[in-house]
Amino acid sequence: MTSSFQYGANVHANGIRQHYLRYGGKGTPLVLVPGITSPAITWGFVAEELARTHDVYVLDIRGRGLSQGGDDLAYDLDAYAGDVRGFIDALGLKDCVVLGHSMGARIAIRLGRQDASGIAALVLVDPPVSGPGRRPYPSSLPWYVDSIRLARKGMDAEAMRRFCPTWTREQLELRAEWLHTCEELATRITYEGFHTEDIHQDIPHLTVPTYLMIATRGNVILPEDEAEIAGLLPSIVMDRVPDAGHMIPWDNLAGFMTSFNGFKLS
């Protein structure tokens, strides 16, 4: 397949430098918001597929990749949602789809409640449903912190395999190359936020079409969570992707795309 990559660029939005990668260039705009330690470039192989039907913008979230970071920035849901809102406004995107994975899905939920103007739909990919008084997120903080510290020193694909044993060598190489750009402080604060920030209070206020993609092997969203979410937002459309852990496209890209295309967003 011929690459659909267009360019990488920076934009000043919500008071910070935000870096993004663009794929495709035609079709309905789609803003892809990655997870807690996923620089934009690591989603390139997914963006290539999404770009068959959409004009894809993959964000480097603050404190990750080539976007602005630092100890002086906030790393809570309101700040993250403000960044995505600012990005959409700065680029003048209209009727766009916002697709968020994990942390990115939580950001999309908060954004959808705060200001959904210009957003045609939300696609929530396996968002952590932890929060105050709820069961903890199944991945531990040391899994993130230990790998970031090793990446800062320099690590190869085989060293990364300890953390991501099911990934391909190409996926491991890319993560090993870019993980050092994920700031430990941003990761720690975000992980804590998984347990202190409540997305369930936002879900009933979502007014745009909302789709939930669930990993069958992720242990992030359980059947009882599906039932609760359906009760909070009866209009939500849900789909489970078989043979996939939390990083759904890494385990089953074809299944991810079948699920995404089944939402009929283009």
Side-chain angles (χ1 to χ4, degrees):
M1 182 180 74
T2 302
S3 176
S4 64
F5 177 71
Q6 298 287 304
Y7 57 81
N10 295 293
V11 62
H12 189 80
N14 197 36
I16 66 166
R17 183 192 72 253
Q18 297 190 47
H19 178 260
Y20 66 97
L21 303 176
R22 188 178 184 186
Y23 294 79
K26 296 180 180 179
T28 301
L30 185 150
V31 179
L32 198 162
V33 188
I36 186 169
T37 55
S38 294
I41 196 170
T42 62
W43 275 83
F45 73 105
V46 186
E48 293 277 6
E49 294 296 325
L50 294 170
R52 294 176 183 269
T53 54
H54 289 76
D55 181 13
V56 182
Y57 300 79
V58 190
L59 299 185
D60 270 328
I61 305 302
R62 61 168 61 195
R64 287 91 175 168
L66 300 181
S67 284
Q68 188 172 335
D71 297 353
D72 58 328
L73 294 186
Y75 296 104
D76 56 22
L77 277 178
D78 288 340
Y80 289 136
D83 287 348
V84 181
R85 176 77 267 160
F87 178 83
I88 291 171
D89 292 344
L91 270 66
L93 302 180
K94 305 295 183 183
D95 297 324
C96 63
V97 174
V98 175
L99 184 156
H101 171 252
S102 192
M103 172 192 75
R106 289 171 63 91
I107 295 169
I109 291 169
R110 180 58 55 87
L111 171 64
R113 178 180 184 176
Q114 290 184 341
D115 184 357
S117 57
I119 298 174
L122 301 175
V123 179
L124 313 175
V125 181
D126 222 38
V129 291
S130 47
R134 297 177 178 274
R135 73 175 186 279
Y137 180 58
S139 294
S140 67
L141 180 60
W143 186 90
Y144 298 103
V145 172
D146 292 351
S147 58
I148 289 172
R149 290 178 177 178
L150 288 171
R152 281 207 306 262
K153 295 177 180 178
M155 66 190 306
D156 60 14
E158 288 309 309
M160 184 60 72
R161 192 177 298 280
R162 165 189 159 195
F163 298 92
C164 309
T166 64
W167 290 18
T168 67
R169 185 170 185 84
E170 183 178 6
Q171 292 166 349
L172 292 168
E173 288 173 344
L174 198 59
R175 185 167 178 82
E177 180 184 1
W178 280 88
L179 184 59
H180 74 92
T181 68
C182 297
E183 296 185 1
E184 182 177 328
L185 177 64
T187 302
R188 285 182 175 276
I189 294 174
T190 300
Y191 185 87
E192 180 181 349
F194 285 172
H195 303 90
T196 60
E197 295 179 302
D198 182 11
I199 60 165
H200 292 80
Q201 67 174 350
D202 297 332
I203 292 174
H205 300 279
L206 300 179
T207 57
V208 300
T210 302
Y211 305 87
L212 177 64
M213 190 185 302
I214 303 165
T216 53
R217 294 192 282 104
N219 294 320
V220 173
I221 300 178
L222 302 180
E224 55 265 35
D225 302 314
E226 293 182 54
E228 181 181 10
I229 292 169
L232 293 171
L233 188 67
S235 63
I236 197 168
V237 176
M238 302 186 188
D239 187 46
R240 280 190 164 269
V241 179
D243 302 318
H246 181 56
M247 303 294 289
I248 296 176
W250 280 253
D251 291 333
N252 185 355
L253 178 58
F256 175 90
M257 290 307 304
T258 295
S259 181
F260 176 82
N261 290 327
F263 293 146
K264 301 187 184 305
L265 298 165
S266 59

